[in-house]
Amino acid sequence: MTQCALRLAPLTFVRAAELRKAEWSEADLDAAEWRIPAERMKMRAMHIVPLSVQAVGILRELHPLTGTGRYFFASLRTPTRPMSENTVNAALRRLGYAKDEMTGHGFRSMASTLLNEQGWHRDAIERQLAHGERDAVRAAYNYAEHLPERRRMMQAWADYLDGLKNGAEVVPLRGQLA
């Protein structure tokens, strides 16, 4: 389970609490979508996470282990509760990453930085991070989810990470070309 959480975190770049408390009832693997309810979100608004082919593969791999329960990542001690908030960070430490090198939350920063550098639309990135609009006037009028672009972006991001993992020379896709 921990390995699946570590593999899913960089593909979805959701907050650590959103990941560890993810429920099977929120995921539609056939539609490649995870809908996190408002009450579990920091900004108290439902958040749609488009799932890449790779993310769906991880969840399908995980399903035989925890799919009959509530959580993607159930606690090993009490399956009716989610995994501990320390699990992902502890696994990163066991892999050799120091606290100042990588954290579960660091996947969000990494994705935001690299996707912005690759030229993806800022609003699509911010929506994927479930950030609220900072401009109060714009926030009052703009409810765009940017889902079509976010779906393309999340698949391109997963493919980019696969390229890094496989040691290929990766040429980043530009958002406007994706």
Side-chain angles (χ1 to χ4, degrees):
M1 278 190 304
T2 303
Q3 183 186 67
C4 286
L6 279 172
R7 290 169 47 215
L8 194 61
L11 292 173
T12 60
F13 45 96
V14 295
R15 293 176 182 90
E18 295 156 7
L19 181 69
R20 70 184 193 83
K21 294 178 182 179
E23 298 185 20
W24 286 109
S25 62
E26 300 166 357
D28 182 341
L29 300 185
D30 293 328
E33 198 171 86
W34 169 21
R35 291 178 176 251
I36 306 172
E39 59 270 13
R40 287 205 314 102
M41 294 300 300
K42 182 178 178 180
M43 302 300 291
R44 298 294 179 224
M46 194 262 304
H47 182 52
I48 301 169
V49 180
L51 298 171
S52 64
V53 170
Q54 293 91 328
V56 170
I58 293 165
L59 292 174
R60 289 196 191 283
E61 179 184 326
L62 181 65
H63 195 268
L65 299 173
T66 64
T68 59
R70 178 176 177 183
Y71 298 104
F72 289 5
F73 307 107
S75 168
L76 292 176
R77 293 191 177 120
T78 312
T80 57
R81 296 179 55 193
M83 74 169 33
S84 163
E85 61 189 73
N86 299 317
T87 302
V88 169
N89 284 337
L92 288 168
R93 298 304 150 259
R94 285 192 304 274
L95 289 170
Y97 292 97
K99 290 178 185 178
D100 63 340
E101 290 178 317
M102 190 58 172
T103 64
H105 192 80
F107 292 118
R108 291 171 57 79
S109 175
M110 176 183 67
S112 177
T113 300
L114 291 172
L115 288 167
N116 273 289
E117 285 183 351
Q118 291 176 3
W120 289 93
H121 192 274
R122 174 189 166 278
D123 288 343
I125 298 167
E126 290 301 304
R127 276 306 303 133
Q128 190 56 45
L129 291 165
H131 287 166
E133 176 61 53
R134 291 181 183 172
D135 180 322
V137 174
R138 189 167 189 237
Y141 295 99
N142 183 7
Y143 295 95
E145 290 287 331
H146 303 282
L147 271 174
E149 182 170 5
R150 286 171 50 208
R151 287 183 203 289
R152 288 189 306 273
M153 179 180 74
M154 296 302 281
Q155 187 58 57
W157 175 247
D159 293 343
Y160 173 81
L161 292 178
D162 271 355
L164 293 176
K165 178 178 73 175
N166 296 328
E169 185 175 331
V170 177
V171 178
L173 295 173
R174 297 282 176 212
Q176 61 271 22
L177 299 176

